[in-house]
Structures are given as C-alpha cells and as structure tokens.
C-alpha cells in the first residue's frame, strides 16, 4: 500500500460518515410519517432503500481505486460506508417482507425460489451477511488479515448481484439500472485490470 | 342523461353555474343535443357497469401514472405531460372500414354519448385503482365507421411527438415508438370497452392519456393505450408494444388473471393505491378478469388462457 504518494488524506473522525449515512433513511422515515411519499409509499420506500444500498456499496468499491489512481485516502471510512450499505439492504429487505408482503412467508418463499431477480437479490443479501458479521476489529484479529481480506472479496459478488437484480426487475430499458451496472462493472474491471 | 366533453371549458369557467345549467337545458330541448361540461356536478348518470367501490383520489389517479412517452418514473407524466397540445386532435381511422378518414375529435364526440363509468384498473405491476372515467363505448365509434365483414382486429396507435413527449427522445430508447396496442374485434365491440375523454367529470388530464384513450377494465392497464391518434381495422392480430418488448412476459390478450403469474412476480394479489391502511395495507386478492368475468369470460370460452396470456 503506497501511502507515500497520497495527495489527499482525509483525517476527520468516522462518526460523521455514519451519521451522514443515516440521513437518507431518516428523510424517508420523516416523509413516511407525514404521508409525503405519494400514491404508492411502499414502493417508494422499497426502491429508495434498494437504491441507497446500491449507492453505498458502489461508494465502498470506489475507495481503493480512488486511492490508487487519484491518491485520495479514504480507507479509514470504508467500514462505515460498507456497514451503511448493509443497513440499507436490511431496510430494503424489511420493507419487502413486512410492508410489501405482510410477512406472508409462503408468498415470500415462492417469490425467492420462482423469481430470478429476487433470488439474485437474496443471494446479494446472504453474501453480505458474513461481511457485516466480521466488521469489527476483533473479527479481523480472529480471522487474520489475509483470511479477512479474502472473505471480504465476497463484496464484489454482492454488488454485482445487486446491480444485476436492478437491471432484471425493470420493464423496458430505463437508463438508471444500466448506468449503475456500468459503474459496478467499471469498478470490478479496474481490479481485474490492476492485477493483470 | 347525455354528457359530452365541453369544447368550451373556458366559457364554462366564466359562466355562472345557474345560467350555465339553464343553457344546457335549453340546448337539451333542441333536438336532444346536449352540451355539458363533464364537470357539472350531479350531471352524470351512473352506468350499470360502474362499480360501487370507493374511487381512488383524483390526486393519486393523476400523479401515479405509467405513460412512458413522458418518462419511466410514475411521477414523470404529471410533471412532463402539461405541454402536450391536445387540441386540435385528429384520429386517423383506416384499414377495413367502410368510412375511413381523418376524424376530428370534436366530430367524433358529436356522434357519441358520454357516460360515467367507474371501473377497477389493475396494473400488470400488481397495483390497482378505482377510476371514475367519462367516455363512450368504442363500439359506437366503430359502428359509425362501418367495419368490413373481414375485419377481425382493431389496432391502436399513440401520438409520436418527441418535442412534447420527452420520453420519446433521449439517448436510451425505452420503447419502440409509436406505442401500439390491439384488441380482437369482439373485445373492441364489447359494451365495457370504453374510449375515455375525462375522469372525475373533468377533461382527461394529459398524464392520463388526453384527449382520448382506451379503457378495457378486464385487461391489464397497459392495454389502455393513451393519446390515441390512429385506429385501424385489420384481419391480422396487431403487434402490441409490450409484447414486442418482452414477448414471454406480455401476451396479446393480457387479461387480468390471478392464476397466470408474470414471470417476475405473482399476479395473485394486488395493492390498492390509496388504501386506508396506508403503508400497512394488506394486499387483496386479484379477481379473474379483474372482477368482470360475468360480462366477458364468454369471449374466451374454449381458449387456454395460460397459453393466450
Ligand atoms: C445486495 C442486495 C440488494 C441490492 C443492492 C438491491 C438493490 C435494489 C435496487 C437498486 C432496486 C431498484 C430501486 C429503484 O427502482 O430505484 C431494488 C428493487 C427491489 N428489490 Fe432489491 N436489492 C437487494 C436485495 C434484495 C432482496 C434480498 C430482496 C428480497 C428478497 C429484494 C427485493 C426487491 C424488490 C421487491 C424490489 C422492487 C421491485 C419492484 O419494482 O416492484 N432486493 N433492489
């Protein structure tokens, strides 16, 4: 890790990052309470939580390229970004099982096994579980840095699952999901290119 | 009671209501010609085809729309459709008809009776509304243009005008324009099949498909083609936009059917927009033919509706 040629090294503490990460959720909570989410509030929440999950996942993936290519040091905040992404995936899933499907587990299970976009989204969620569960210092010590690093490479698959999930669920071809997928592919492609 | 779309909305706005009603009666006296702002309260007679379920609010009906000509987000049409010019409006009627031609909408409306029809609307995406439409049966227009004996289908086309329909421009082409739809002739002639010109007694808002749109309440909402500029009678099954886009997901018939899932989601239940339960509202069961089975199931006897989805 070539820390030497960093041009910008952010030094502020991590708690503002956690706090900023909560803002979208709080904003939607506020709008939900005040009935400002329009005609179909459930879908607005479901989509918003999914989209913010994807955004934070992408942000997390961007930290290493930013460091290597532009000398911007944000490594310190990566855990905050990753955990925030996980929070939004959990909220997204909670909206889905609770508000969308009213905890009708049979319908939910049918959805998971029958609908490829749900299957893939679920795969994304499951892949993130061990990462969230090992996101504290003691876990890194238990696992050892190498194993921990290897394990956390699962995030590549999880982000890809999230982006593909989005592309699969839309009707026709609106640009947004394709733009997200393109960004994810670029960030993953960069890693392949760096290693080659 | 006959009701027709007021071509002179502005006059109605400046005319005191009592005077306006008086004038309407006068006009009514003269040869049964009735002019009415569809908006005159209490003027519309409820059709026996109307449901007595509570209508969805005007706000929800006019702010939550799928009208990809104005963008793919449900809030895009309300935001972008305002600048669509809907007057004058011509509808080309061609193909296998005795009286083809470019019909002015005003001319079409002169020959029909506007009714109020409160219909359930079930979107293929799994949500539903109850909408008080104003319009006339498509059958009355078709009869006027005299379908030829060989005609078996009706094809419809939406306006293409990228200068006023931002969804039709842009780098990403969301659909092949024009949006096209179709019905079998017997479906088109069915008394439930409506050409809507208004809702809640007012002119049709642009985002809902002004000035003229199709409403087929037993089919998924996307069959209800909006801002119609062409109606053609043919002997071949017409191509339809969503079928072209994803043939394995959207068939020609697209009758509401809880037993046939969309490949990506179940159609067994639906969310009623504006349900009093709010965020915690329960899904409700979706009914075969959207609850209109008594009237329309006969159109499909002997057909395998899993195959002809
Ligand atoms: C890595 C995990 C996931 C990510 C990043 C993700 C992301 C997204 C995104 C970006 C959207 C579209 C938002 C929009 O339209 O603006 C979405 C929609 C959706 N996701 Fe996920 N998702 C994930 C996991 C899941 C899981 C586990 C489920 C359920 C089991 C799920 C169910 C849905 C549903 C039902 C929709 C909305 C579909 C509709 O339009 O009706 N997602 N998700």
């Amino acid at each position: 890790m070539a820390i030497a040629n960093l041009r910008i090294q952010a030094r502020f503490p991590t708690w503002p990052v956690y706090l900023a990460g909560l803002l979208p959720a709080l904003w939607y909570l506020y709008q939900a309470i005040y009935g400002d989410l329009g005609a179909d509030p459930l879908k607005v929440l479901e989509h918003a939580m999914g989209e913010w999950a994807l955004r934070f996942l992408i942000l997390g993936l961007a930290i290493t390229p930013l460091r290597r290519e532009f000398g911007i040091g944000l490594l310190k905040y990566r855990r905050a970004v990753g955990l925030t992404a996980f929070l939004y995936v959990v909220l997204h899933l909670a909206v889905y099982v609770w508000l969308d499907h009213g905890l009708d587990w049979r319908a939910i299970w049918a959805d998971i096994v029958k609908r490829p976009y749900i299957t893939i989204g679920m795969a994304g969620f499951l892949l993130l579980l061990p990462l969230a569960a090992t996101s504290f210092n003691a876990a890194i010590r238990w696992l050892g840095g190498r194993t921990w690093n290897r394990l956390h490479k699962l995030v590549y698959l999880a982000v890809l699952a999230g982006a593909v999930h989005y592309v699969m669920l839309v009707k026709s071809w609106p640009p947004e999901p394709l733009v997200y997928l393109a960004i994810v592919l670029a960030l993953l492609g960069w890693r392949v290119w760096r290693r080659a | 009671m006959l009701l027709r779309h007021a071509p002179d909305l502005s006059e109605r706005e400046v005319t005191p209501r009592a005077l306006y009603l008086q004038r309407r009666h006068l006009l009514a006296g003269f040869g049964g010609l009735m002019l009415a702002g569809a908006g005159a309260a209490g003027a519309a007679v409820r059709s026996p085809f109307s449901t007595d379920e509570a209508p969805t609010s005007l706000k929800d009906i006019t702010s939550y729309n799928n009208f990809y000509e104005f963008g793919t987000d449900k809030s895009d049409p309300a935001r972008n459709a305002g600048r669509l010019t809907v007057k004058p409006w011509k509808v080309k009627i061609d193909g296998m008809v005795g009286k083809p031609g470019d019909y002015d909408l005003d001319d079409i409306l002169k020959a029909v009776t506007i009714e109020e029809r409160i219909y359930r609307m079930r979107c293929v995406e799994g949500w539903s509304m109850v909408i008080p439409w104003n319009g006339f049966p498509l059958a009355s227009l078709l009869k006027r243009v005299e379908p030829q004996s060989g005609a078996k289908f009706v094809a419809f086309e939406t306006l293409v005008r990228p200068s006023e329909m931002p969804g039709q421009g842009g780098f990403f082409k969301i659909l092949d324009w024009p949006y096209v739809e179709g019905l079998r002739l017997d479906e088109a002639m069915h008394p439930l099949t409506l050409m809507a010109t208004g809702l809640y007694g007012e002119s049709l808002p642009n985002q809902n498909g002004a000035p003229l749109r199709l409403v087929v309440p037993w089919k998924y909402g996307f069959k209800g083609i909006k801002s119609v500029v062409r109606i053609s009678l043919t002997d071949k099954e017409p191509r339809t936009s969503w079928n072209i886009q994803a043939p394995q997901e959207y068939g020609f018939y697209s009758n509401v059917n809880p037993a046939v899932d969309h490949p990506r989601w179940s159609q067994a239940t639906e969310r009623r927009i504006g349900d009093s339960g709010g965020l915690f509202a329960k899904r409700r069961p979706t009914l075969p033919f959207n609850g209109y089975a008594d009237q329309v199931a006969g159109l499909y006897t002997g057909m395998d509706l899993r195959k002809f989805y």
Side-chain angles (χ1 to χ4, degrees):
Chain A
M1 291 203 187
I3 310 246
N5 56 15
L6 277 186
R7 268 179 274 157
I8 304 164
Q9 172 68 60
R11 297 195 186 285
F12 57 89
T14 52
W15 65 262
V17 178
Y18 283 105
L19 203 65
L22 287 177
L23 289 180
L26 292 173
W27 170 234
Y28 279 98
L29 181 66
Y30 170 86
Q31 291 184 93
I33 290 171
Y34 285 91
D36 283 345
L37 292 174
D40 200 2
L42 144 73
K43 280 288 150 181
V44 172
L45 283 183
E46 193 168 74
H47 284 213
M49 296 305 108
E51 201 159 342
W52 279 105
L54 194 53
R55 285 178 187 151
F56 281 109
L57 284 170
I58 287 174
L59 208 60
L61 274 195
I63 285 176
T64 299
L66 281 176
R67 181 182 179 86
R68 299 276 174 84
E69 298 296 333
F70 304 100
I72 301 172
L74 299 170
L75 201 54
K76 182 177 167 193
Y77 312 104
R78 193 166 63 184
R79 179 187 297 171
V81 171
L83 282 173
T84 303
F86 183 71
L87 168 73
Y88 283 94
V89 175
V90 169
L91 289 173
H92 180 60
L93 187 59
V95 170
Y96 168 84
V97 297
W98 186 31
L99 301 183
D100 198 351
H101 285 282
L103 305 179
D104 178 348
W105 298 106
R106 273 189 39 206
I108 292 165
W109 180 248
D111 237 16
I112 293 173
V113 293
K114 263 170 61 184
R115 323 271 165 223
Y117 88 92
I118 297 285
T119 317
I120 291 184
M122 205 61 205
F125 169 69
L126 293 176
L127 287 168
L128 289 174
L129 276 180
L131 312 199
T134 55
S135 283
F136 49 98
N137 295 336
I140 303 178
R141 261 179 273 118
W142 290 335
L143 288 169
R146 265 178 66 100
T147 314
W148 188 92
N149 263 325
R150 277 235 202 99
L151 178 66
H152 279 243
K153 293 224 167 6
L154 283 179
V155 76
Y156 302 152
L157 274 179
V159 184
L160 197 59
V164 169
H165 160 79
Y166 189 5
V167 170
M168 287 175 75
L169 68 88
V170 290
K171 299 194 299 177
S172 91
W173 295 108
E176 293 86 357
L178 297 174
V179 170
Y180 279 112
L181 181 63
I183 295 172
V184 169
L185 289 177
L187 289 170
L188 295 180
W190 176 86
R191 288 169 164 82
V192 175
W193 170 73
R194 281 290 296 209
R195 281 179 44 184
Chain B
M1 168 65 85
L2 309 185
L3 268 179
R4 193 153 55 75
H5 231 37
D8 54 347
L9 265 179
S10 52
E11 189 199 343
R12 181 158 61 87
E13 278 152 17
V14 299
T15 312
R17 187 176 152 77
L19 187 65
Y20 164 72
L21 287 175
Q22 205 180 356
R23 244 196 247 165
R24 269 183 36 167
H25 280 285
L26 262 176
L27 281 166
F30 288 108
L33 175 67
M34 282 211 185
L35 268 181
V45 163
R46 295 188 61 154
S47 155
F49 293 122
S50 286
T51 168
D52 50 17
E53 286 168 75
T56 306
S57 74
L58 180 65
K59 180 158 177 273
D60 286 351
I61 295 174
T62 55
S63 63
Y64 191 75
N65 308 98
N66 278 323
F67 196 172
Y68 282 18
E69 280 79 350
F70 296 103
T72 53
D73 196 272
K74 299 228 174 9
S75 57
D76 286 339
R79 207 172 18 245
N80 298 331
R83 55 191 158 111
L84 179 68
T85 315
V86 295
K87 206 174 163 63
W89 192 269
K90 280 201 189 308
V91 182
K92 179 192 269 309
I93 303 184
D94 61 358
M96 304 174 76
V97 289
K99 294 186 187 161
D102 289 318
Y103 287 81
D104 204 85
L105 181 58
D106 288 340
D107 173 45
I108 290 176
L109 294 181
K110 250 179 233 142
V112 297
T113 305
I114 297 290
E115 304 170 38
E116 183 195 54
R117 298 274 183 100
I118 306 174
Y119 282 163
R120 288 177 292 276
M121 207 277 298
R122 169 64 156 79
C123 178
V124 73
E125 296 167 346
W127 50 270
S128 63
M129 293 185 177
V130 176
I131 306 180
W133 299 106
N134 304 95
F136 59 90
L138 174 58
S140 58
L141 174 59
L142 292 179
K143 278 182 201 139
R144 174 179 171 192
V145 298
E146 297 171 4
Q148 292 168 2
S149 60
K152 293 199 179 67
F153 295 94
V154 185
F156 304 85
E157 249 179 62
T158 295
L159 177 72
V160 179
R161 195 184 284 160
S163 60
E164 292 182 354
M165 298 176 132
Q168 290 176 338
F171 178 70
F172 286 93
K173 201 155 157 218
I174 24 190
L175 283 174
D176 251 332
W177 313 112
Y179 192 90
V180 288
E181 257 306 336
L183 294 173
R184 235 167 44 190
L185 186 57
D186 58 341
E187 297 175 324
M189 297 295 288
H190 192 279
L192 278 174
T193 304
L194 194 74
M195 294 306 292
T197 55
L199 60 83
Y200 266 113
E202 299 287 346
S203 317
L204 201 57
N206 288 356
Q207 62 267 37
N208 295 89
L212 183 69
R213 67 164 289 166
L214 177 67
V215 177
V216 196
W218 71 92
K219 292 176 181 283
Y220 292 119
F222 67 85
K223 294 292 287 184
I225 184 169
K226 304 188 177 86
S227 304
V228 172
V229 291
R230 185 171 176 192
I231 300 176
S232 315
L233 281 90
T234 89
D235 54 359
K236 286 186 199 60
E237 187 178 288
R239 312 225 307 148
T240 60
S241 281
W242 283 104
N243 180 251
I244 296 168
Q245 174 78 19
Q248 67 292 348
E249 300 187 4
Y250 311 98
F252 173 77
Y253 286 93
S254 291
N255 293 318
V256 174
N257 190 343
V260 176
D261 283 353
H262 185 279
R264 288 182 288 155
W265 55 85
S266 161
Q267 296 291 28
T269 58
E270 66 199 47
R271 288 172 297 113
R272 181 61 57 81
I273 299 298
D275 198 308
S276 56
L279 267 173
F280 303 96
K282 283 246 177 328
R283 286 172 174 265
R284 29 179 106 203
T286 290
L287 303 174
F289 299 105
N290 200 22
Y292 298 95
D294 286 350
Q295 291 97 317
V296 300
L299 295 171
Y300 310 100
T301 36
M303 280 175 70
D304 179 357
L305 294 175
R306 292 187 167 275
K307 191 163 160 233
F308 298 99
Y309 55 92

